Amino acid sequence: LTPGNLGIPVITPGSAHLSPLVDLVSAQDPKERMPKDREPLTPHEIDLLRRWIDEGAIWPDDANAPHWAYVP
């Protein structure tokens, strides 16, 4: 959870409402919205991101762990 250019963490595990990443992907202004120069995330994708952060933003640290797409 590397600090972004704001000097604060991009996500706060357990608190999507305190995570600037959620604000960036859901911004209405295309100049502010992430991803830059790409289609915006769908409401479903933003909801998944919010839920993942609210649930603790668990990410496997083990380099030998299966790719996230293959974990149920």
Side-chain angles (χ1 to χ4, degrees), residues 26-40:
S26 58
Q28 296 302 310
D29 184 348
K31 294 178 184 175
E32 293 179 16
R33 186 177 53 230
M34 296 287 291
K36 298 283 186 193
D37 303 321
R38 301 277 191 258
E39 289 294 316

Side-chain angles (χ1 to χ4, degrees), residues 21-65:
L21 179 62
V22 175
D23 295 332
L24 291 169
V25 298
S26 58
Q28 296 302 310
D29 184 348
K31 294 178 184 175
E32 293 179 16
R33 186 177 53 230
M34 296 287 291
K36 298 283 186 193
D37 303 321
R38 301 277 191 258
E39 289 294 316
L41 297 182
T42 66
H44 176 71
E45 291 168 328
I46 294 170
D47 182 57
L48 285 174
L49 182 61
R50 278 190 180 111
R51 287 190 292 141
W52 175 69
I53 294 170
D54 282 339
E55 292 171 3
I58 304 300
W59 193 262
D61 288 333
D62 182 2
N64 296 319

